Amino acid sequence: MPLPDVSRFVNATDNRSWWLADGQKLADEFPYTFHKPSAEAVSLLSVGDAAKLIFRFDGADPDAPNAERMWVEIRAVGDDGFHGVLDNDPSYIRDLDCGDPVHFEERHIIQVSIDDPVPSSIDKFLPRCIVSNQILLDGQPVDYMYREASNRENDSGWRFLAGDESTDYLDDAENVRVVSLGALLREDDSVLDLLDAPVGSAFERRERSGRFVAVIADLED
C-alpha cells in the first residue's frame, strides 16, 4: 500500500481544502514526460528565490481543474525544508491567498527560478513522432517502428505502429496522433534503446521473443 502524502493531512488538520502534490513521486511515475529540478538546483535555492509547487485541492466545481501550479517565494531555509509565501493569486482555491505562508520540502518542487546546472532528463524526449491510436488509445504495444527523414521542426522522424493496422486505417488522419517521444514512451518504453538509430532504420518485434529486430523499411518515396 503506498504511503500517503503527509502534507495533505497536515493541511487537513487546519481545515484547508488544499495540499501539496509530491513532485518526486510524479517524476518517478512519469520519467519521460515530467520534469523535476535536479537536487543540485534545489540545494542552491536561498532566500529570495522561488519554487513552483502543485497545489491540489478539493472543489465542488466539476469544470475546475484539480490543481494549480503556483510560485512560492522562499523566506527561510531550514532542516525541515523551505518556508515561503505564495507569490500568485489562486484562480480556484478559495482558502489560499497571495502572501499566505507555505511550508514545503524538496519533493514538492517542480520548477525553480534559478538556472539548473543539470540538463533536464526529459529534453531528449520532447521531439515529436507519429503514433497509431491502437498504441495510444487502445493500449497495444509497439510492433513496428521506423524512422524517416523529416524537414519539420522538432520532428524525430519516428513512426510507431501496433503492426496490424490496415492501409485504410492509417489513411484516416483521425487514427494517428503527433505526440512527443515521451508520450509514446509512457505507453511503451520497450523501444527506448532504439531511439538513437539513424534515419532509415526500421524494427519489428518478434512474436516469440518479444524482442525487436532490424528490418528493411518499406517506405514510399
Side-chain angles (χ1 to χ4, degrees), residues 78-140:
D79 293 337
D80 61 343
F82 300 87
H83 297 265
V85 294
L86 187 65
D87 199 30
N88 289 117
D89 290 308
S91 297
Y92 298 95
I93 304 176
R94 300 308 177 194
D95 54 351
L96 182 64
D97 296 308
C98 184
D100 281 355
V102 179
H103 169 242
F104 59 97
E105 302 170 23
E106 177 179 353
R107 64 191 175 97
H108 298 123
I109 299 173
I110 64 166
Q111 191 175 340
V112 293
S113 62
I114 62 175
D115 291 334
D116 194 328
V118 179
S120 169
S121 60
I122 70 169
D123 282 353
K124 59 184 176 181
F125 304 128
L126 294 178
R128 316 299 279 181
C129 60
I130 296 177
V131 187
S132 165
N133 279 350
Q134 290 191 16
I135 298 169
L136 287 180
L137 303 183
D138 299 338
Q140 295 191 40

Side-chain angles (χ1 to χ4, degrees), residues 45-208:
L45 290 173
S46 60
V47 173
D49 294 328
K52 183 173 284 188
L53 317 176
I54 301 176
F55 292 77
R56 296 200 184 280
F57 62 93
D58 293 321
D61 184 356
D63 296 324
N66 61 9
E68 295 193 61
R69 299 186 178 206
M70 296 184 287
W71 289 98
V72 174
E73 181 183 336
I74 297 171
R75 296 292 178 86
V77 181
D79 293 337
D80 61 343
F82 300 87
H83 297 265
V85 294
L86 187 65
D87 199 30
N88 289 117
D89 290 308
S91 297
Y92 298 95
I93 304 176
R94 300 308 177 194
D95 54 351
L96 182 64
D97 296 308
C98 184
D100 281 355
V102 179
H103 169 242
F104 59 97
E105 302 170 23
E106 177 179 353
R107 64 191 175 97
H108 298 123
I109 299 173
I110 64 166
Q111 191 175 340
V112 293
S113 62
I114 62 175
D115 291 334
D116 194 328
V118 179
S120 169
S121 60
I122 70 169
D123 282 353
K124 59 184 176 181
F125 304 128
L126 294 178
R128 316 299 279 181
C129 60
I130 296 177
V131 187
S132 165
N133 279 350
Q134 290 191 16
I135 298 169
L136 287 180
L137 303 183
D138 299 338
Q140 295 191 40
V142 175
D143 183 76
Y144 180 70
M145 57 187 285
Y146 64 95
R147 191 174 196 179
E148 61 184 1
S150 175
N151 57 10
R152 286 176 292 179
E153 185 178 0
N154 204 33
D155 180 12
S156 70
W158 279 113
R159 315 300 179 227
F160 298 93
L161 304 175
D164 58 356
E165 296 92 343
S166 66
T167 300
D168 289 341
Y169 180 92
L170 294 176
D171 284 343
D172 185 346
E174 293 297 317
N175 292 327
V176 295
R177 294 287 187 273
V178 177
V179 299
S180 69
L181 288 171
L184 177 277
L185 291 170
R186 192 168 57 196
E187 303 301 322
D188 184 357
D189 65 359
S190 64
V191 306
L192 177 62
D193 293 338
L194 302 175
L195 295 182
D196 289 332
V199 169
S201 299
F203 300 92
E204 186 176 60
R205 192 192 298 270
R206 288 292 183 251
E207 183 177 354
R208 180 170 296 180

